[in-house]
Amino acid sequence: MDWNPGRGAPQAPVSSSELDKKIYGQIQGVISGQVLAELMSGRTISDAPDDNVSASTFTARLKEFTVGRKSLTSLRGASSRGTGPAAISDSASTSSHGKHVDPEMAFRERYLLQLDPNQPLKERIQSLKAASKDVELYSVDTLMALWGVAEDFARATTPTDVRIVGYDLLLASVGHSGLDLDERLKFFNLITIALPAAHANLQILALERLTQKGKLLSPFESHLPVFLDNLLDKVFEAALQARFRHKRQRSLRSNDPIGEEVNFMNLLVLVENIVKRNPDTYRSDDLATLVDKMHSIFTRTAVSDDIHRALAISECLITSPSFPVNRVAPFVDVLCTLVGVSGFLSESPTRCLHVMLTGRLQQVTLDCLLDFLSIPREEGKPDVLVGALSTLDHVLVMNGADGFPIIPLQSLSLAFKSVWRSSRASTLDCLRIVGRLLHDDQVNHRLLGEDWTILETALDEFANLANKLPSVDENVLEFRSVVTSSSPLNRYFSNSWSRLLTDDFEVQNRLRCLPSGLEGLWNDLNKDQKFSVINFFFMLEPFVEDGLWELVVPFMVDERLLCPPNENWERHLEILVYLVVLKPSRTESARCRVLQEIKNVRASMHEDQDGISFLDHIALQILDSLAAEPKMQMLSILANFTIDYALHASMEIFDNVLERFSQSIGAKMIPEFSVWTSLPYEAISVLSTCLVLLFRRCLPLYAVKTLKIYKVLVSIAASQTIPDKARLTAIKLLSRLRCNPSRAVKLVSVPDSQGLAAILCRTESSAHTQPTSHQTNRVSFNEDSQMVRTGRSSAIGSSRSERSRSATRSASGREKLPPRPTHPLWMYAGPQGQNDAPPAEASLVVYISTDGSVSGRTLDISKWMDTINEILSKGDDWEIISYLLVHLPSQLSNSAMFDGDALHIQTLHNLIVSQLQTGKVHSPPTTTGMKQGDVALCLLHTLTVLVSYRERFTKKQLDDTVRAFLTSMEKWDGARKCCIHALALCSYELPHQLDKYLDGVVQKMSQIITQSHLAIDILEFLGGLVRLPDAYRSTKPSLFRTIFGICKEYLKNSRRERQKQKNLSISRTSNVPTRYSTTTVEGATSAETSNLNDSQKDLPEYVFALAYHVITFWFLTIEIQERSSHVGWISKNLGYQDDHGNEVMEEQSQVTLDMMHRTAYSDLGETMPSPDFIDQGNKIMKKTWLVGMSIVTVETFKDSGLTQIVKRQASGTTYAIFHQQTAPLPPHHVQPRSNFSSYSSVGGIDILPNHILLQLSSTITPMPIPMQPIILPDDDSTRRAISIFDRNDTVDGHKAGVIYVSEAQTSEAEILANTTGTTLYEDFLSGLGTKVSLQHAKFNTQGLDRDARSDGTHTYAWRDRVTEIVFHVTTMMPTDLEHDPQCVNKKRHIGNDFVNIIYNDSGLPFDIGTFKSQFNYVNIIITPDSMAVTHRLTSKSDGSLGHSSTHPKKKKGKQPVTMQSVTMQPCFKVQTVCSPSFPHISPAATPKMVSASNLPGFVRQLALNASVFSLVWSNREGGEHVSSWRNRLRAIAKLRERYANTGVSANVSYPDMGTAEDRGGARSYLEGDAWKGTLMMGGLAEENQMNLSLDFTRWT
């Protein structure tokens, strides 16, 4: 639609109010009066009145109601050649009269009237401003119509202020999207009309809108460059002047914006956009002019924003193909200046230069840069030079990559000569470029050829520069004088290679970069070049990186400059020692290489005493430097070098080294060596470690040196002025001392002390779960080792240690802060103060004295014992005490080492006993979370080991030992388990002493039975004690009742636990916590009372079985005259009431009662059948009854009436002979009938088996029906059942493998191939059991062949009245290596044994993984002590293991116990090691030392307990283990179920089986039924069925 109202003659002015009324009239039919009134007022209904409402407000409100509030674009329609963004469509609202209302027409008509030139100027200006706000909403036609009447506002002849007003409409018009090219050109011409510089912002803004920020330039692109050039000049000048004025007007705030400055920046942005988006706008001359403009800006302004904007424009210009070449030089000059001023990292100018160097202007730009370097510059204008050097540096780095050129290094070298020292900045840049050349892998390879001259040039310049700098290190000059012309290293060395030390740190930094760059070239350099580089390093030594000496040292070593035959080797070596070894900053490898070369040279010296003296001097110099060495690792290396050197050096050098080490560790000043006055604690620890290493290296070869070091180490361990870490290092070695059978001293790598370490939370696993004090948390073991150590002192009892290095107190006497958490100095098995493994073999020169005497080759162990006793008696730091507590038992286990020092062993024993009995043990710091009970537990382990020294103790001391265990069991709750295990050992080793205190021991155990975690330990102790009569000979009768009471309580607890598990349906395996089964008890805790780690909570069946076993064993121990007095009390506690109140008698209770039934009045033991009744066929009559819970068989000879009664019970079978003595008939007796019976006897005796049963079991008294015997039919089924029953053993059968490990054996095959062992091993077997033949054996051989001898002819077995164990001895089994090299036949036995006894004579720790089997739960490892290898026991005439009396006869009066008076018998270390999934509950879980005479019994009891537990454990998922007695009981019960109520012989009705007719009308009974009857005739008659109670024929 091209609607043009036309332009008539001028009309009278129309006021705004009149126009409003006119429009109001046109739309009054559309809008209600209220809304229209609102529109007229320019507000909404809710707005407050406002009289100052403009016409534009009215128009806007009108459009809201006619077009809508949400969007005008939805009403846009097609108009003529492009409408404005808010053109109104034909969908405008219509009036009630159907007429269209067009808001654009209203807007147009209104402002055409108001802008008419005939209107007053003031009103025209107001209307123009109002129209400018909304004109963009309408079509271009309306816009151009308005310009038709308002064009005079933009004419050049119009006053400036009016033209500025006209820019409101111009700015609103140029952004209209519907403008055509003519209209755009018209508006461009209006913009180019000049305005004052102060209002240039209007032109810039209008041009920005017209060009859409430089995007759309047609049709005026050809006119634009000239206009912009002029505008740039005008605006830039105005900005410069405004800045000048602003600077002079001090009253203005410095941060106020300057309008002219803003205009200039906006114009630069517009020019940048135009050039960037329309690069063809500027061509040839126009482009040159713009480049000149930019150059002018660069040279006339220092404002960074101006420069950055100009650089952005320049970056666009240089990519133009029209960029004039004649403008490159000045342009590069400016860019280099900018780089030089702002630094190499200035992004914009650098980027411009890079663009020029990679584009069309590459060569000319590069030529300019090189020209800048070739032309000398004044010192005051270095910026261009710096920028050029920086740019060339980058070009070199790129090395032709990404389009950059490649610079010939020769040209660069020539350029350097002109600028090298022209200024400090140029020198720095040259240094940087050379450094870049050396560091860049893409460029530095060019230096190896003809371009190596640039490095030569650099060296020359560096030498000249060095001559200008002062020297600061006179020591170096002394070393410089030793280099002669015979060395190839003299070229630059004479130039004072330390004189580059200067205060110019930037120069230093640049110099440091140069040597490191040569590292990458080193391998490609020839020998001469390497010499040149080394000289370069010597010259720049202060600036050479420490790692680069790793290149120098090997080269000098390889060129043999440091050793003969080089005539200057001593000077060269001394120089390198000073430059490398004695410089703490040098790398460890370089320093070590020099040290190694010194060792090599010393090793090659034999006769050259001068050379050896020189090297001794060097070694002492290195020794003197240790005090200044800050790196602990390097200090260790230097110290190790010193001790290595001293190891084979003369005694004089050795003594010198040892003296300096010992004095430095003791922090005592040596006047002639003041550097050793004091060392850091960590350094002292390092030196202590080196002394330990020196000891270990001297031990195999040098007796005198070893003994000297030993004395120093003992003094270090004993001194309380030396840091704990250093003392611990010495103690760690001393506690590892052992001796072999020949008393030669040796070292062990890791003592077997893991269990005790876990008690004190010194293992990795226990440290994470250790108890913490209520005051603070214990620091984890892997914290920073440099943590401040506080509160680590330990005291005895409540007293404080005299020395507390960690405690601090303020000068004011204020109260000390609570102890801080501490970091432990040691963990098991952490660093042991030794860097390599100890020698496997014992010393060839150092021994332990056998009688306490000391010679030149014997080590005085008493000094170490003095230290131990001193520390334990007087107290010390907790770290020291804890280490001794953990490791002392293991060392004492080596009895051969201490058996010659009885006095100190006695002292240690008395000390430990005293502390345990008085309770004055060491108090750990509260921060550790440990308690005195944990310390007591460790002392108890030590005392347990001391039991093996019983020959060294008096009778009183032995009594005190047992009393100490008893007292500790009462005093220390957490030590009770350990005490019980120790008392178990005492029952073998000290039976007479234990006998004295046994009542108290058992009484104490009865008081702690509520502690369920001790149940297994107590019961195993009692079960083992009962087999050792010497340990309870003087026991009072009340002891038995106490033991039975203990068992009763454990039975109750076990029943509760079993019922709880049954109710909760918890799998036994899911409740078994992880246990540690390494060579020691890792699972030990400080309290040892954690129920979570005890198997009896998971396996109450084992506690249950143990309790019954103990009852059985001890009942059989009671004298036969007294047994019956205990039956009633025991029987009362065998039954119990279940949850429903029913009386219950368990199977185990029944068999126990059965056992008492058989043994209460008899000690005859096993019986056997009479041979007369075997295979007699029809000569005898036999009948069998079920009598209660037994099977009674009566066999009677037909001819004689001789009767054998066989009573089969759960606990055994009794065979007895019954023979009725029948008197001859009197003469007057009537002769019997000859055909009375088919069973007539020869002697006129007529008797049936039924008669025997009646005679033994009944009278005419009524017998209740449930109690009447059940006769069994004489058929195959019954005979088969009885035969199966008889095959159940009357004792519990067990088995255990016995494996002998010979010297140095480790593999399974070679171990199983052994057929013999040592004498001690054979003696052990003899004591373990009785040697029995397997051929046709009548006992259960536990799988060993009885016929074919495939498993040998004999084995060892042991049996008592309750238990039998058969040993699978591998050395007694046949060995056929030809057909069975892996000994599979032996493996099939021991591989299926739950328990194996390993006699380890190998001299090596036994690996539990040697024999791989899923059934080997427990391994009992026996390790002979050193003394056991040289001692042999003799056999007494009775066949028992013999030994001298524990207490030899002494003369009257006090006699000291000496080595000469008593000979210790050999001891063995015994330890149980379990598979990972098996609970570790044995008393030998921690190693026990057992004498040879008691070893078999102790091990046998361990094996029996382990076997019982294994049987219970193996059945934990499928059900409980059933003993042989219970199997027999179940067989009897099964017969009762089968034959009762079957009507076989009008039998009793019990239980409810068969019909009423079968039962003969008798009542049936079920288990648990109540029974009613009447007492009569001495018996009980069935209620209402007395005849059945009296009819004995029913059951006979």
Side-chain angles (χ1 to χ4, degrees), residues 1352-1368:
T1353 60
H1354 291 77
T1355 190
Y1356 282 92
W1358 180 91
R1359 176 173 176 151
D1360 62 10
R1361 296 182 66 178
V1362 180
T1363 307
E1364 180 182 67
I1365 183 169
V1366 176
F1367 298 100
H1368 295 164

Side-chain angles (χ1 to χ4, degrees), residues 375-582:
I375 302 174
R377 298 286 179 148
E378 298 178 3
E379 291 292 334
K381 297 180 180 181
D383 297 333
V384 176
L385 185 61
V386 171
L389 287 171
S390 299
T391 304
L392 290 173
D393 182 18
H394 183 77
V395 175
L396 286 170
V397 171
M398 297 308 294
N399 195 32
D402 296 340
F404 281 90
I406 296 178
I407 306 176
L409 296 185
Q410 292 289 350
S411 302
L412 192 60
S413 177
L414 295 174
F416 279 174
K417 290 184 177 293
S418 301
V419 300
W420 188 268
R421 292 182 302 278
S422 61
S423 68
R424 175 183 177 277
S426 63
T427 300
L428 289 174
D429 285 330
C430 290
L431 289 174
R432 185 182 69 241
I433 290 178
V434 174
R436 293 276 187 181
L437 287 172
L438 295 176
H439 283 87
D440 194 325
D441 294 337
Q442 301 295 328
V443 181
N444 55 23
H445 67 279
R446 296 164 57 189
L447 295 173
L448 301 177
E450 59 182 2
D451 291 335
W452 178 258
T453 54
I454 189 171
L455 186 59
E456 297 286 349
T457 301
L459 292 176
D460 291 336
E461 294 297 337
F462 294 153
N464 294 330
L465 181 61
N467 290 329
K468 296 181 180 180
L469 299 174
S471 175
V472 297
D473 194 345
E474 298 299 331
N475 292 329
V476 176
L477 298 180
E478 297 178 6
F479 281 103
R480 183 187 61 190
S481 63
V482 304
V483 178
T484 64
S485 57
S486 62
S487 171
L489 307 177
N490 64 346
R491 178 180 177 188
Y492 291 104
F493 198 68
S494 59
N495 287 324
S496 180
W497 40 271
S498 68
R499 291 169 63 184
L500 287 178
L501 292 176
T502 172
D503 293 335
D504 194 333
F505 294 107
E506 190 170 359
V507 172
Q508 292 183 21
N509 291 335
R510 295 290 170 85
L511 288 174
R512 287 189 179 94
C513 294
L514 299 181
S516 61
L518 291 166
E519 181 178 8
L521 296 174
W522 180 262
N523 293 332
D524 298 324
L525 300 179
N526 57 40
K527 184 182 296 187
D528 293 336
Q529 289 173 335
K530 288 182 178 179
F531 277 122
S532 176
V533 170
I534 291 177
N535 279 298
F536 181 44
F537 287 172
F538 285 158
M539 183 181 64
L540 294 178
E541 181 270 331
F543 309 110
V544 176
E545 293 182 3
D546 297 318
L548 295 180
W549 294 101
E550 295 186 18
L551 304 177
V552 175
V553 173
F555 178 77
M556 296 184 69
V557 170
D558 294 341
E559 293 298 319
R560 303 189 61 80
L561 301 177
L562 306 179
C563 63
N566 187 289
E567 61 180 5
N568 295 301
W569 71 271
E570 294 179 354
R571 297 179 180 179
H572 297 162
L573 186 61
E574 192 169 10
I575 291 173
L576 274 190
V577 168
Y578 178 81
L579 290 180
V580 179
V581 177
L582 303 184

Side-chain angles (χ1 to χ4, degrees), residues 1417-1433:
Y1417 292 152
V1418 180
N1419 290 277
I1420 303 173
I1421 302 175
I1422 303 171
T1423 304
D1425 183 41
S1426 298
M1427 294 180 61
V1429 180
T1430 55
H1431 288 70
R1432 291 294 179 267
L1433 294 177

Side-chain angles (χ1 to χ4, degrees), residues 757-775:
I759 292 173
L760 299 185
C761 297
R762 292 306 177 104
T763 61
E764 182 176 355
S765 57
S766 62
H768 292 301
T769 57
Q770 64 186 13
T772 56
S773 67
H774 65 280
Q775 296 178 345

